[in-house]
């Protein structure tokens, strides 16, 4: 069984395209996005790493450090980075872990043997400042991820952490949110003095808190 929501992420030492790291130190007091890709010098992965690099500022703004991983050596990542820059128009600007012995991939459950017994699937882990898993996503090798969706989930997670609200289906930035069921009406009155719309006692809708 791989990592589950709420698990503390295993710490590890790794070599990356930006030098050695210890993962928990890398995360520090902020948020992190760890994602695996199946293999260097492959087409979908090339577009994904280019897209994450292009949009890194949006992760920075949210206090999220991004870091990639595949079971290729760092020397390959560095050669491949040239192709990413050339074809995607953006240089790699975040570290990519070389996990040639698959130790990290195995620990994190990034290899799904029935899909492929040697390469990582497209795993996504969003990790909170408490080093706990807040989100996991798993895509097959043939489907590139959606950066907008990953940012959307991070926004939702951060709203919940800060304001005790949840986000409804298809929520987007600026849309109404829902007061989490664990907050009593008395507690909710303190947090949301402007009030809320109660569609049911358990369905309390409020404007998205700012800040
Ligand atoms: C790709 O990134 O395009 C890819 C990688 C492994 C298998 C299939 C596609």
């Amino acid at each position: 069984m791989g990592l589950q929501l709420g698990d503390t992420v295993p710490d590890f030492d790794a070599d990356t395209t930006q030098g050695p790291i210890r993962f928990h130190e890398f995360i520090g007091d902020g948020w992190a996005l760890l994602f695996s890709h199946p293999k260097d010098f492959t087409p979908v992965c090339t577009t994904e790493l280019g897209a994450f690099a292009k949009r890194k500022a949006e992760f920075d703004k949210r206090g999220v450090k991004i870091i990639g991983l595949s079971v290729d050596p760092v020397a390959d990542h560095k050669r491949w980075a040239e192709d990413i820059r050339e074809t995607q128009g953006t240089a790699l600007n975040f570290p990519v872990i070389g996990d040639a012995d698959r130790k990290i991939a195995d620990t994190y459950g990034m290899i799904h043997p029935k899909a492929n017994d040697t390469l990582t699937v497209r795993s996504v882990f969003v990790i909170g400042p408490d080093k706990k898993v807040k989100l996991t996503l798993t895509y097959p090798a043939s489907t590139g991820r959606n950066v907008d969706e990953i940012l959307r989930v991070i926004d939702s997670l951060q709203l919940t952490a800060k304001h005790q609200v949840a986000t409804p289906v298809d929520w987007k930035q600026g849309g109404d949110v829902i007061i989490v069921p664990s907050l009593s009406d008395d507690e909710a009155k303190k947090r949301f003095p402007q009030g809320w719309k109660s569609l049911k006692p358990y369905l309390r809708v409020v404007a998205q808190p700012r800040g």
Side-chain angles (χ1 to χ4, degrees):
M1 174 108 63
L3 286 176
Q4 299 191 331
L5 301 189
D7 286 346
T8 299
V9 291
D11 201 7
F12 56 80
D13 290 304
D15 194 16
T16 82
T17 49
Q18 296 184 358
I21 60 154
R22 187 156 185 86
F23 191 49
H24 281 197
E25 272 171 28
F26 171 83
I27 300 170
D29 296 329
W31 293 70
L33 169 75
L34 169 66
F35 66 96
S36 58
H37 60 273
K39 196 159 179 49
D40 293 358
F41 301 102
T42 51
V44 177
C45 299
T46 302
T47 63
E48 281 192 328
L49 269 74
F52 280 114
K54 219 169 262 168
R55 301 188 64 182
K56 180 170 173 290
E58 294 176 68
F59 290 93
D60 291 343
K61 199 172 82 185
R62 292 163 171 83
V64 181
K65 287 187 178 166
I66 58 181
I67 185 162
L69 176 148
S70 75
V71 293
D72 303 287
V74 164
D76 283 6
H77 293 339
K78 287 185 174 168
R79 281 194 299 120
W80 180 40
E82 265 309 297
D83 293 358
I84 294 169
R85 189 193 52 71
E86 182 190 322
T87 62
Q88 308 303 305
T90 315
L92 263 192
N93 49 12
F94 55 86
V96 181
I97 296 168
D99 187 35
D101 61 7
R102 300 184 209 154
K103 269 198 189 141
I104 303 164
D106 280 338
T107 306
Y108 275 70
M110 293 166 167
I111 294 181
H112 295 201
K114 287 179 190 141
N116 188 305
D117 57 7
T118 54
L119 304 180
T120 44
V121 292
R122 296 186 197 282
S123 296
V124 177
F125 296 94
V126 175
I127 301 155
D130 56 2
K131 318 270 187 309
K132 293 196 168 145
V133 179
K134 305 298 179 191
L135 168 89
T136 62
L137 291 170
T138 306
Y139 286 64
S142 51
T143 305
R145 282 160 283 214
N146 183 310
V147 180
D148 283 333
E149 172 60 6
I150 294 171
L151 287 166
R152 188 189 79 92
V153 183
I154 289 169
D155 285 344
S156 170
L157 290 167
Q158 294 187 339
L159 274 173
T160 305
K162 195 160 180 196
H163 296 290
Q164 302 266 304
V165 292
T167 56
V169 61
D170 293 338
W171 172 84
K172 289 200 186 86
Q173 261 302 335
D176 284 349
V177 298
I178 292 166
I179 300 170
V180 294
S182 57
L183 209 65
S184 69
D185 280 352
D186 283 344
E187 289 164 325
K189 270 180 207 145
K190 289 183 208 140
R191 276 191 176 266
F192 308 103
Q194 79 281 15
W196 58 85
K197 192 164 62 181
S198 240
L199 302 178
K200 288 282 176 191
Y202 57 83
L203 181 46
R204 299 169 294 177
V205 178
V206 71
Q208 180 185 326
R210 295 285 163 192

